[in-house]
Amino acid sequence: MELLKLLGQIGILSVFYLVGVSIQEAFNLFIPGSLIGMFLLFLLLMIKKVKVSWVSSGSNYFMKHMAILFIPVTVGLINYLDVFIGKGLLLVPIALISTFLVIIVSGAVSQYLVKKTEKVNEKVNAHELNH
């Protein structure tokens, strides 16, 4: 049963990805379709048209295995080592710095959201105890 729930939630996330890619291709946008899809998911979560419980297990699964998802990209770089000859070698520190910036900002935002959620939950629990 838990496996079906996980697969269903990954399916929902995949639908948002596919919708984003379709929008990107239909309007020939420079923004990646995956970002458009996740932005749509974010908007629908914010206006409560999609419940967090509908995607939480699937997104946690992806977060847990995120390092594995970067392996194909890293291996793919080996095919383009000729690009890094000469000034292209500057791409390596740029890629490393940008990766660390993404990790740091993502971690900070995640911690902020967790703390904010905990405060809201504490207020709700305190309110329920008073009534």
Side-chain angles (χ1 to χ4, degrees), residues 98-114:
S98 63
T99 300
F100 285 118
L101 285 174
V102 168
I103 291 170
I104 290 167
V105 170
S106 298
V109 169
S110 297
Q111 288 179 348
Y112 169 77
L113 292 175
V114 166

PDB file of all heavy atoms in Angstrom, residues 98-114:
ATOM      1  N   SER A  98      28.642  27.579  -8.108  1.00  0.00           N
ATOM      2  CA  SER A  98      27.188  27.673  -8.253  1.00  0.00           C
ATOM      3  C   SER A  98      26.489  26.495  -7.581  1.00  0.00           C
ATOM      4  O   SER A  98      25.423  26.659  -6.990  1.00  0.00           O
ATOM      5  CB  SER A  98      26.802  27.778  -9.726  1.00  0.00           C
ATOM      6  OG  SER A  98      27.184  26.616 -10.421  1.00  0.00           O
ATOM      7  N   THR A  99      27.092  25.319  -7.654  1.00  0.00           N
ATOM      8  CA  THR A  99      26.505  24.153  -6.985  1.00  0.00           C
ATOM      9  C   THR A  99      26.455  24.364  -5.478  1.00  0.00           C
ATOM     10  O   THR A  99      25.425  24.110  -4.841  1.00  0.00           O
ATOM     11  CB  THR A  99      27.315  22.885  -7.312  1.00  0.00           C
ATOM     12  OG1 THR A  99      27.293  22.674  -8.724  1.00  0.00           O
ATOM     13  CG2 THR A  99      26.745  21.671  -6.607  1.00  0.00           C
ATOM     14  N   PHE A 100      27.567  24.838  -4.907  1.00  0.00           N
ATOM     15  CA  PHE A 100      27.579  25.076  -3.462  1.00  0.00           C
ATOM     16  C   PHE A 100      26.602  26.179  -3.068  1.00  0.00           C
ATOM     17  O   PHE A 100      25.953  26.090  -2.019  1.00  0.00           O
ATOM     18  CB  PHE A 100      28.988  25.398  -2.973  1.00  0.00           C
ATOM     19  CG  PHE A 100      29.876  24.187  -2.912  1.00  0.00           C
ATOM     20  CD1 PHE A 100      31.016  24.103  -3.689  1.00  0.00           C
ATOM     21  CD2 PHE A 100      29.566  23.112  -2.091  1.00  0.00           C
ATOM     22  CE1 PHE A 100      31.832  22.982  -3.645  1.00  0.00           C
ATOM     23  CE2 PHE A 100      30.365  21.983  -2.036  1.00  0.00           C
ATOM     24  CZ  PHE A 100      31.502  21.924  -2.823  1.00  0.00           C
ATOM     25  N   LEU A 101      26.461  27.206  -3.900  1.00  0.00           N
ATOM     26  CA  LEU A 101      25.491  28.259  -3.605  1.00  0.00           C
ATOM     27  C   LEU A 101      24.065  27.706  -3.591  1.00  0.00           C
ATOM     28  O   LEU A 101      23.268  28.052  -2.713  1.00  0.00           O
ATOM     29  CB  LEU A 101      25.615  29.400  -4.615  1.00  0.00           C
ATOM     30  CG  LEU A 101      26.808  30.326  -4.435  1.00  0.00           C
ATOM     31  CD1 LEU A 101      26.885  31.325  -5.589  1.00  0.00           C
ATOM     32  CD2 LEU A 101      26.728  31.065  -3.115  1.00  0.00           C
ATOM     33  N   VAL A 102      23.765  26.857  -4.555  1.00  0.00           N
ATOM     34  CA  VAL A 102      22.429  26.250  -4.596  1.00  0.00           C
ATOM     35  C   VAL A 102      22.197  25.402  -3.351  1.00  0.00           C
ATOM     36  O   VAL A 102      21.134  25.453  -2.737  1.00  0.00           O
ATOM     37  CB  VAL A 102      22.249  25.412  -5.885  1.00  0.00           C
ATOM     38  CG1 VAL A 102      21.001  24.546  -5.797  1.00  0.00           C
ATOM     39  CG2 VAL A 102      22.186  26.317  -7.092  1.00  0.00           C
ATOM     40  N   ILE A 103      23.190  24.624  -2.965  1.00  0.00           N
ATOM     41  CA  ILE A 103      23.065  23.777  -1.773  1.00  0.00           C
ATOM     42  C   ILE A 103      22.845  24.635  -0.533  1.00  0.00           C
ATOM     43  O   ILE A 103      21.965  24.352   0.293  1.00  0.00           O
ATOM     44  CB  ILE A 103      24.303  22.879  -1.612  1.00  0.00           C
ATOM     45  CG1 ILE A 103      24.334  21.821  -2.719  1.00  0.00           C
ATOM     46  CG2 ILE A 103      24.333  22.213  -0.233  1.00  0.00           C
ATOM     47  CD1 ILE A 103      25.635  21.041  -2.797  1.00  0.00           C
ATOM     48  N   ILE A 104      23.637  25.699  -0.383  1.00  0.00           N
ATOM     49  CA  ILE A 104      23.547  26.556   0.803  1.00  0.00           C
ATOM     50  C   ILE A 104      22.196  27.269   0.855  1.00  0.00           C
ATOM     51  O   ILE A 104      21.522  27.274   1.900  1.00  0.00           O
ATOM     52  CB  ILE A 104      24.710  27.566   0.814  1.00  0.00           C
ATOM     53  CG1 ILE A 104      26.027  26.832   1.091  1.00  0.00           C
ATOM     54  CG2 ILE A 104      24.484  28.665   1.843  1.00  0.00           C
ATOM     55  CD1 ILE A 104      27.272  27.664   0.830  1.00  0.00           C
ATOM     56  N   VAL A 105      21.777  27.854  -0.267  1.00  0.00           N
ATOM     57  CA  VAL A 105      20.501  28.577  -0.285  1.00  0.00           C
ATOM     58  C   VAL A 105      19.334  27.612  -0.071  1.00  0.00           C
ATOM     59  O   VAL A 105      18.418  27.910   0.709  1.00  0.00           O
ATOM     60  CB  VAL A 105      20.341  29.361  -1.607  1.00  0.00           C
ATOM     61  CG1 VAL A 105      18.941  29.919  -1.754  1.00  0.00           C
ATOM     62  CG2 VAL A 105      21.366  30.478  -1.679  1.00  0.00           C
ATOM     63  N   SER A 106      19.377  26.454  -0.709  1.00  0.00           N
ATOM     64  CA  SER A 106      18.301  25.467  -0.528  1.00  0.00           C
ATOM     65  C   SER A 106      18.217  25.008   0.921  1.00  0.00           C
ATOM     66  O   SER A 106      17.124  24.889   1.481  1.00  0.00           O
ATOM     67  CB  SER A 106      18.526  24.258  -1.431  1.00  0.00           C
ATOM     68  OG  SER A 106      18.514  24.624  -2.772  1.00  0.00           O
ATOM     69  N   GLY A 107      19.366  24.754   1.524  1.00  0.00           N
ATOM     70  CA  GLY A 107      19.388  24.344   2.927  1.00  0.00           C
ATOM     71  C   GLY A 107      18.841  25.427   3.842  1.00  0.00           C
ATOM     72  O   GLY A 107      18.062  25.145   4.756  1.00  0.00           O
ATOM     73  N   ALA A 108      19.241  26.679   3.594  1.00  0.00           N
ATOM     74  CA  ALA A 108      18.772  27.788   4.432  1.00  0.00           C
ATOM     75  C   ALA A 108      17.258  27.971   4.293  1.00  0.00           C
ATOM     76  O   ALA A 108      16.554  28.153   5.291  1.00  0.00           O
ATOM     77  CB  ALA A 108      19.497  29.076   4.057  1.00  0.00           C
ATOM     78  N   VAL A 109      16.762  27.913   3.066  1.00  0.00           N
ATOM     79  CA  VAL A 109      15.318  28.060   2.856  1.00  0.00           C
ATOM     80  C   VAL A 109      14.568  26.900   3.504  1.00  0.00           C
ATOM     81  O   VAL A 109      13.541  27.106   4.152  1.00  0.00           O
ATOM     82  CB  VAL A 109      14.993  28.158   1.338  1.00  0.00           C
ATOM     83  CG1 VAL A 109      13.505  28.033   1.078  1.00  0.00           C
ATOM     84  CG2 VAL A 109      15.538  29.459   0.768  1.00  0.00           C
ATOM     85  N   SER A 110      15.085  25.694   3.364  1.00  0.00           N
ATOM     86  CA  SER A 110      14.442  24.527   3.980  1.00  0.00           C
ATOM     87  C   SER A 110      14.383  24.663   5.497  1.00  0.00           C
ATOM     88  O   SER A 110      13.347  24.408   6.111  1.00  0.00           O
ATOM     89  CB  SER A 110      15.194  23.246   3.615  1.00  0.00           C
ATOM     90  OG  SER A 110      15.149  23.025   2.236  1.00  0.00           O
ATOM     91  N   GLN A 111      15.490  25.066   6.096  1.00  0.00           N
ATOM     92  CA  GLN A 111      15.511  25.239   7.557  1.00  0.00           C
ATOM     93  C   GLN A 111      14.537  26.330   7.983  1.00  0.00           C
ATOM     94  O   GLN A 111      13.833  26.182   8.988  1.00  0.00           O
ATOM     95  CB  GLN A 111      16.918  25.566   8.029  1.00  0.00           C
ATOM     96  CG  GLN A 111      17.846  24.378   7.963  1.00  0.00           C
ATOM     97  CD  GLN A 111      19.243  24.715   8.419  1.00  0.00           C
ATOM     98  OE1 GLN A 111      19.606  25.878   8.578  1.00  0.00           O
ATOM     99  NE2 GLN A 111      20.051  23.693   8.636  1.00  0.00           N
ATOM    100  N   TYR A 112      14.484  27.419   7.227  1.00  0.00           N
ATOM    101  CA  TYR A 112      13.553  28.498   7.547  1.00  0.00           C
ATOM    102  C   TYR A 112      12.112  27.999   7.501  1.00  0.00           C
ATOM    103  O   TYR A 112      11.315  28.268   8.405  1.00  0.00           O
ATOM    104  CB  TYR A 112      13.745  29.666   6.573  1.00  0.00           C
ATOM    105  CG  TYR A 112      12.672  30.712   6.659  1.00  0.00           C
ATOM    106  CD1 TYR A 112      12.657  31.636   7.694  1.00  0.00           C
ATOM    107  CD2 TYR A 112      11.649  30.761   5.715  1.00  0.00           C
ATOM    108  CE1 TYR A 112      11.655  32.587   7.784  1.00  0.00           C
ATOM    109  CE2 TYR A 112      10.654  31.705   5.786  1.00  0.00           C
ATOM    110  CZ  TYR A 112      10.656  32.622   6.828  1.00  0.00           C
ATOM    111  OH  TYR A 112       9.659  33.549   6.907  1.00  0.00           O
ATOM    112  N   LEU A 113      11.779  27.252   6.438  1.00  0.00           N
ATOM    113  CA  LEU A 113      10.416  26.754   6.295  1.00  0.00           C
ATOM    114  C   LEU A 113      10.064  25.743   7.375  1.00  0.00           C
ATOM    115  O   LEU A 113       8.939  25.733   7.871  1.00  0.00           O
ATOM    116  CB  LEU A 113      10.223  26.150   4.902  1.00  0.00           C
ATOM    117  CG  LEU A 113      10.255  27.147   3.741  1.00  0.00           C
ATOM    118  CD1 LEU A 113      10.188  26.418   2.410  1.00  0.00           C
ATOM    119  CD2 LEU A 113       9.132  28.157   3.855  1.00  0.00           C
ATOM    120  N   VAL A 114      11.016  24.900   7.763  1.00  0.00           N
ATOM    121  CA  VAL A 114      10.767  23.932   8.833  1.00  0.00           C
ATOM    122  C   VAL A 114      10.503  24.668  10.144  1.00  0.00           C
ATOM    123  O   VAL A 114       9.553  24.337  10.868  1.00  0.00           O
ATOM    124  CB  VAL A 114      11.950  22.952   8.970  1.00  0.00           C
ATOM    125  CG1 VAL A 114      11.868  22.173  10.269  1.00  0.00           C
ATOM    126  CG2 VAL A 114      11.991  21.993   7.790  1.00  0.00           C
TER     127      VAL A 114
END
